Amino acid sequence: MRVAFLGLGIMGQSMASNLVKAGHEVTVWNRTPGKLVEGAAVAPTPAAATQGAEVVWLCVSDTDAVEEVIFGKDGAALSLSEGAIIADSSTISPSATLKFAEKVAAKGVAWVDAPMTGSKIGARDGTLVFIVGGEEQNIERLKPLFAAMGKKIFRMGETGKGQATKLAMNLQIAMIYEGFAEALTLATKLGVDSQQLVSLIEATMVRSGVVEYKAPFVLQRDFTPNFPLRLMHKDIRLTLEAAKEARVKLPGLQTVEEIYELATEEGNKDLDYAATLTLLEKWAGVQVKGKAA
Ligand code: NAP
């Protein structure tokens, strides 16, 4: 398929590369020039990348970035062809998604929200799980592209439902990780060995995919970003906004948001979100001992 891929960050670069490897004709664009994908053409603007594309796949930071890339100066909307599909793998606001979808529908273009989970490693290995909202027939058309980048697709309903579900998923990731970080901090303060604690967690019902993924990084004190703290913070804020719009109270997540706010003030926004642990450690006056310790 002819695909315009817009946004070559931690996730987008690997995703676009997997589309090329699967034999699709890919043209890439990134706001900051110089990011390349082997085998893909490079366009100077989103509008140029979109010229003649059957599918425009987005993977940018947030709601404002999506709006700018599609509807801004030199945005993709200027050259969308009738019958094209926009697939958005950024995590953004569900209500803004509906507004964007309505705007492009006037041009005969469909919007499929396709946020994903699987992080940097899932993007690299083509094992992402896509959480999708949109018309069945459009999702069907995108299947070869989903297959090149991921291992599973869950259709959650009409356009917007993918983003809504993604927020409900990240709410849990943020809170499960915070529970793990608090447990590690308390146990360390009380003199318990952190490696032993992780082994116990893995052997009991407390275990989780989040802990399984994060524990090795945490125990090696490797906070290089797989999922940057600033992006998880953005997702927490989006979730709280969506909850407010829906008149739902999320007191647990509200508290976690404060921790992200303080971690950002500490200068940790570009580290992995696992670095929220360092704030708890600072308050407790301890440091969780890693594997090598
Ligand atoms: P990232 O590495 O920070 O990359 C962000 C991308 O968005 C870059 O290409 C950046 O361009 C572009 N961008 C930001 N603001 C822009 C604007 N105003 N106009 C145009 N382009 C703009 O982020 P990522 O980790 O790839 O994440 C991308 C999306 O996927 C986010 O919505 C994130 O929440 C979601 N996500 C990430 C993960 C993960 O583990 N990393 C997992 C699931 C979902 P520049 O290069 O010019 O800065």
Side-chain angles (χ1 to χ4, degrees), residues 6-13 15 29-33 35 46 58-66 68-69 88-92 115-121 128 166 170 213 225-228 230-232 234-235 272-273:
L6 313 179
L8 302 174
I10 293 174
M11 302 297 281
Q13 195 152 25
M15 292 164 76
W29 170 84
N30 192 63
R31 177 181 60 175
T32 307
K35 284 191 188 165
L58 289 167
C59 190
V60 291
S61 303
D62 53 24
T63 310
D64 288 348
V66 169
E68 200 169 324
V69 168
D88 181 20
S89 280
S90 328
T91 304
I92 70 163
M116 68 241 161
T117 185
S119 212
K120 186 180 176 177
I121 294 169
L128 293 168
K166 170 71 182 171
N170 273 19
Y213 189 96
N226 274 281
F227 186 39
R230 65 184 156 78
L231 290 182
M232 181 62 104
K234 176 258 308 180
D235 290 356
D272 194 84
Y273 73 92

Side-chain angles (χ1 to χ4, degrees), residues 181-260:
E182 289 189 9
L184 274 177
T185 307
L186 176 67
T188 300
K189 185 82 180 189
L190 298 179
V192 174
D193 178 74
S194 47
Q195 180 63 66
Q196 280 275 84
L197 175 65
V198 169
S199 301
L200 175 68
I201 290 172
E202 282 165 2
T204 63
M205 68 182 286
V206 182
R207 72 182 172 275
S208 73
V210 176
V211 171
E212 199 182 313
Y213 189 96
K214 288 295 176 194
F217 291 103
V218 168
L219 292 179
Q220 285 162 27
R221 300 201 73 75
D222 176 359
F223 298 121
T224 49
N226 274 281
F227 186 39
L229 195 150
R230 65 184 156 78
L231 290 182
M232 181 62 104
H233 194 190
K234 176 258 308 180
D235 290 356
I236 292 171
R237 284 179 166 156
L238 276 177
T239 308
L240 291 171
E241 272 167 38
K244 199 171 170 195
E245 285 169 20
R247 295 173 174 268
V248 170
K249 283 196 193 304
L250 301 177
L253 192 67
Q254 194 84 50
T255 305
V256 171
E257 199 274 329
E258 284 168 28
I259 294 170
Y260 277 72

Side-chain angles (χ1 to χ4, degrees), residues 3 12 27 34 38 46 49 57 81 95 105 131-132 148 153 168 183-185 188 222 249 252 255 280 285:
V3 185
T27 301
E38 204 183 324
W57 208 291
S81 320
S95 54
I131 306 165
V132 180
I153 315 170
L184 274 177
T185 307
T188 300
D222 176 359
K249 283 196 193 304
T255 305
L280 304 174

